[in-house]
Amino acid sequence: MPTIIQGQERLGTLLLKAGLVTEEDLNTALKLQRQDKGRLGETLIEMGVLTAQDLMDVLASRLGVKGCVLRHGLVDPAVVKIIDREEAKRLRALPLFKVNQRLTVAMVEPQHLPAIDRLASLTRCEINPVLVTEQNYTEFSERYLNEQVSVDSFLLSLDKQDVEFVDREAPDDDALTDLTRSDTSPVVNLVNLSLLTAIRDRASDVHVEPDHKHLRVRYRVDGVLRELLTAPRTMHAGVTSRIKVLAKMDIAERRLPQEGRVRIVVEGRDVDLRVSTMPTILGEKAVIRILDRSNLTLDMAKLGIQEDLLAAFKRMLLRPHGLVLVTGPTGSGKTTTLYSALDLLRSVTINILTVEDPVEYQLDLINQIHVQDHIGLTFARALRSILRQDPDVIMVGEIRDADTASVAVQAALTGHLVLSTLHTKSCIGTLARLTDMGVEPYLMASALNGVAAQRLARTICPACRTTYIPDRQLLQTAGWDDAKSRVFYRGAGCKKCHDSGFKGRMGIYEVLEMDEKLYSLIYHGADEEAIREYLVKEHRFRSLRDEGLMLVEAGRSTLEEVLRVTHLETEETVRAERREAGSGKREVRSEK
């Protein structure tokens, strides 16, 4: 990205200062501009000296606004009609998308305040103007502002996408069915476009859902849903049927939830899709989980875990037997951590078996089993059978019930290394959860190697990183008196991060490793407070909140984001709740 230069200097001077053109290129472009009576920036682009994005960055910084290069998928066809066609052309404006009452509009002259006031009056929305070049505006306005243009014709005009769907029942992996051949169908193009865009933007899920007036497509990037496009309500049945056909689901059944899978090849790489449909009062909603192996990070050092915690976690894994648990809510990256652990352990000398629901990624040298409750193949039943398969390492996708917990503990006690996950808020909370499942403290103390709790926090976009001062209330929540001694960063929002200020995520971890004193505390049924006091005093135990605040101080994430993902009760809150609960019980007893 070029250096941002303020001021109202001529464009040629700005480009020279930014190092984007040479004086020779500039002089040549000026001569051509005089001959053609065109614009200098567009002349430089035609010469191949300058890219459209570089020109936009310089122009936007000159005017003090955001700039963008229009592309398909950025313009919501349903929003375009919010402004009359002739009025939009007169103002040289193109509505892009609307979020609540804030309308983002591409403008050739975003600094023209009367035009912005006119747009606000016409739409009754807050206008967020972004700069586009005149050539870029002309190209897209002719397509989208034409009265004849609809979502159908927009999709029909798309180029063929490099998306192929693989028939899972084919005899070999080379038998491909290229479904983009039906490029005369807007339904096919909408499905392909949605999947291609989501995979390119590293999304984890695509949501296809009916609305009262539209078919809405959203996708989840870095844990947050974003709207991709809206289409006419009449396309809903065709799109959901198309998705169900690809995933080999029953298109005639619309009253019951269904699940399916399909493998696609996108731009030369395999991507697995897990499809789920659910009937709603407005029609079927489909959610497509994207399992892109190229996004899977198996190197534990790259997951974001601190060096000392990583060393402790590896010691837990390298013990010959015992139970290692990874905890956290859904979507916190537990599966990635477990796969990274298996990648560390797998070898031709070790027999590793997993029980998962479902198997998300297939790994070499690992025997993976998919749970199927409808035929009785539950976690507990599969785990019992695995024990007769001469395993060295067992990975159980999740401990959901007392039966699975009991079998997992017994497997760990009988000479196997067992890895699994639990849905608990913290490492110490895991001990109480296992007790609630019926695991006796003496068995837990003997079986457990340790626990890792984790969250995923969004990281600041490096392209628009800037300093700011957080709200005083947030500072107090974090335990910081003021912001004078610290520098805080956040993303201002740019095209690269979809104006979110965040790009990517990293893990926040806390690790509890067993030792003799901790064994004794758990064995004798010590409460959570006593265990926490010991860990903090003897091991300088750092909680998830402590780890997250270290990310803030390092400038990797924002204070708001860390507090959002580590919404754990403070020790003071927990103690207060327990005191209140205890006093309540005493009052009840006294009344009795």
Side-chain angles (χ1 to χ4, degrees):
M1 183 175 176
T3 306
I4 295 179
I5 306 168
Q6 301 296 335
Q8 295 298 319
E9 298 176 274
R10 289 181 175 273
L11 177 60
T13 305
L14 291 171
L15 293 172
L16 284 173
K17 287 186 176 181
L20 294 172
V21 299
T22 63
E23 289 190 14
E24 183 181 353
D25 291 332
L26 183 59
N27 291 332
T28 303
L30 288 170
K31 290 179 182 178
L32 292 172
Q33 181 197 13
R34 294 188 196 102
Q35 295 172 8
D36 301 335
K37 296 184 179 180
R39 293 178 177 268
L40 176 60
E42 292 172 1
T43 302
L44 286 165
I45 292 173
E46 291 174 1
M47 291 170 55
V49 173
L50 192 66
T51 66
Q53 186 60 58
D54 286 341
L55 174 63
M56 185 52 55
D57 289 337
V58 171
L59 289 174
S61 63
R62 180 188 185 189
L63 297 175
V65 297
K66 293 180 181 179
C68 74
V69 177
L70 295 177
R71 53 182 170 79
H72 296 306
L74 187 63
V75 185
D76 185 346
V79 174
V80 170
K81 297 178 182 179
I82 199 170
I83 302 173
D84 179 72
R85 179 169 62 106
E86 295 303 323
E87 190 73 22
K89 287 185 176 181
R90 186 182 69 80
L91 298 172
R92 292 196 289 178
L94 179 66
L96 299 182
F97 50 86
K98 180 181 176 184
V99 179
N100 296 325
Q101 287 302 112
R102 185 176 176 86
L103 179 66
T104 299
V105 183
M107 302 181 68
V108 177
E109 295 179 327
Q111 76 278 18
H112 192 214
L113 295 181
I116 294 175
D117 291 340
R118 176 62 177 162
L119 289 169
S121 175
L122 290 170
T123 62
R124 297 182 180 180
C125 293
E126 180 186 352
I127 302 301
N128 177 33
V130 295
L131 174 68
V132 293
T133 63
E134 188 163 7
Q135 183 179 5
N136 197 203
Y137 170 79
T138 301
E139 175 190 351
F140 277 76
S141 63
E142 288 178 354
R143 173 169 302 198
Y144 286 92
L145 294 178
N146 189 323
E147 289 181 346
Q148 303 301 318
V149 171
S150 64
V151 175
D152 288 5
S153 58
F154 160 70
L155 291 169
L156 279 168
S157 67
L158 291 172
D159 295 332
K160 248 185 170 181
Q161 306 296 349
D162 185 19
V163 180
E164 294 177 319
F165 293 80
V166 180
D167 186 354
R168 284 186 169 273
E169 295 179 2
D172 56 54
D173 289 340
D174 293 330
L176 301 182
T177 304
D178 187 355
L179 299 179
T180 58
R181 287 179 297 190
S182 304
D183 56 359
T184 57
S185 167
V187 169
V188 171
N189 281 338
L190 188 146
V191 173
N192 289 355
L193 172 71
S194 301
L195 292 175
L196 184 66
T197 304
I199 291 168
R200 283 177 173 172
D201 288 348
R202 300 172 68 89
S204 60
D205 303 88
V206 177
H207 293 239
V208 180
E209 48 200 10
D211 205 341
H212 286 286
K213 296 181 179 180
H214 303 104
L215 165 66
R216 190 181 310 279
V217 180
R218 298 187 291 170
Y219 65 153
R220 190 179 298 277
V221 180
D222 295 336
V224 178
L225 278 172
R226 300 172 183 169
E227 189 166 289
L228 178 59
L229 57 88
T230 57
R233 183 71 169 78
T234 53
M235 295 184 69
H236 171 255
V239 170
T240 52
S241 294
R242 176 64 173 169
I243 293 171
K244 290 164 76 173
V245 166
L246 296 174
K248 293 184 170 45
M249 299 157 69
D250 184 359
I251 63 171
E253 179 57 74
R254 299 179 180 178
R255 301 166 301 171
L256 297 173
Q258 294 189 65
E259 294 183 0
R261 298 190 73 161
V262 61
R263 182 163 65 89
I264 67 174
V265 179
V266 178
E267 298 176 339
R269 67 179 190 269
D270 286 349
V271 178
D272 276 322
L273 305 179
R274 215 168 66 211
V275 182
S276 170
T277 60
M278 176 70 68
T280 72
I281 58 173
L282 296 177
E284 282 187 294
K285 172 177 178 176
V287 176
I288 304 170
R289 182 74 185 274
I290 299 173
L291 304 173
D292 188 352
R293 189 183 174 90
S294 65
N295 294 336
L296 180 64
T297 301
L298 295 179
D299 185 352
M300 299 189 69
K302 295 180 181 178
L303 296 178
I305 186 169
Q306 300 289 339
E307 288 186 8
D308 57 333
L309 301 184
L310 178 58
F313 190 61
K314 285 183 176 179
R315 286 195 299 269
M316 290 152 47
L317 293 173
L318 295 177
R319 292 183 182 180
H321 55 81
L323 180 62
V324 177
L325 295 174
V326 180
T327 75
T330 301
S332 59
K334 302 187 299 295
T335 300
T336 300
T337 299
L338 283 182
Y339 279 158
S340 300
L342 293 177
D343 184 62
L344 175 70
L345 295 169
R346 62 177 171 170
S347 164
V348 292
T349 62
I350 295 177
N351 181 22
I352 302 177
L353 293 99
T354 74
V355 189
E356 305 171 60
D357 183 20
V359 175
E360 295 196 2
Y361 299 97
Q362 297 180 20
L363 303 178
D364 294 334
L365 293 175
I366 296 177
N367 303 284
Q368 297 170 273
I369 301 166
H370 173 51
V371 168
Q372 301 182 68
D373 289 334
H374 63 283
I375 62 171
L377 184 58
T378 62
F379 276 113
R381 183 171 181 179
L383 189 51
R384 289 190 183 96
S385 297
I386 280 177
L387 293 175
R388 293 189 287 272
Q389 289 285 315
D390 186 31
D392 296 299
V393 178
I394 303 170
M395 192 268 271
V396 184
E398 181 185 347
I399 295 179
R400 296 178 177 175
D401 48 48
D403 198 9
T404 307
S406 175
V407 179
V409 169
Q410 289 299 327
L413 290 171
T414 53
H416 305 91
L417 179 64
V418 181
L419 315 180
S420 191
T421 68
L422 267 179
H423 286 101
T424 59
K425 289 184 176 181
S426 63
C427 288
I428 298 174
T430 303
L431 307 177
R433 176 67 176 145
L434 288 173
T435 301
D436 291 341
M437 284 184 167
V439 178
E440 295 292 340
Y442 71 92
L443 292 176
M444 188 194 317
S446 301
L448 199 62
N449 287 356
V451 185
Q454 69 178 90
R455 301 289 188 276
L456 286 178
R458 292 178 293 171
T459 51
I460 299 170
C461 173
C464 59
R465 185 170 177 260
T466 184
T467 58
Y468 81 114
I469 299 177
D471 182 75
R472 181 175 294 275
Q473 181 74 32
L474 292 174
L475 292 170
Q476 292 176 350
T477 303
W480 290 333
D481 295 332
D482 56 61
K484 294 181 180 178
S485 59
R486 296 177 175 86
V487 179
F488 295 91
Y489 296 92
R490 69 178 175 189
C494 64
K495 187 195 69 158
K496 293 183 178 179
C497 61
H498 299 275
D499 291 321
S500 67
F502 295 98
K503 188 73 173 176
R505 291 188 292 177
M506 69 182 303
I508 300 176
Y509 295 82
E510 67 177 27
V511 175
L512 179 155
E513 184 182 11
M514 290 292 291
D515 61 13
E516 290 185 7
K517 177 63 175 177
L518 189 56
Y519 169 87
S520 177
L521 287 171
I522 296 174
Y523 186 91
H524 291 95
D527 60 18
E528 292 182 35
E529 189 173 336
I531 293 172
R532 182 181 296 277
E533 287 178 357
Y534 164 71
L535 290 173
V536 172
K537 181 179 179 181
E538 300 297 330
H539 293 271
R540 297 182 180 179
F541 179 77
R542 300 192 300 270
S543 67
L544 285 167
R545 177 67 56 81
D546 297 332
E547 288 289 319
L549 294 179
M550 290 172 64
L551 281 186
V552 175
E553 292 189 294
R556 301 290 301 278
S557 190
T558 66
L559 183 58
E560 292 85 349
E561 175 68 7
V562 165
L563 294 179
R564 179 183 72 86
V565 300
T566 61
H567 49 88
L568 303 171
E569 299 90 343
T570 61
E571 289 183 47
E572 290 75 13
T573 304
V574 173
R575 290 171 182 169
E577 289 178 352
R578 284 177 177 167
R579 283 196 297 270
E580 290 176 5
S583 61
K585 290 177 182 178
R586 287 193 294 272
E587 289 173 5
V588 170
R589 290 194 189 103
S590 62
E591 288 176 4
K592 289 180 180 179

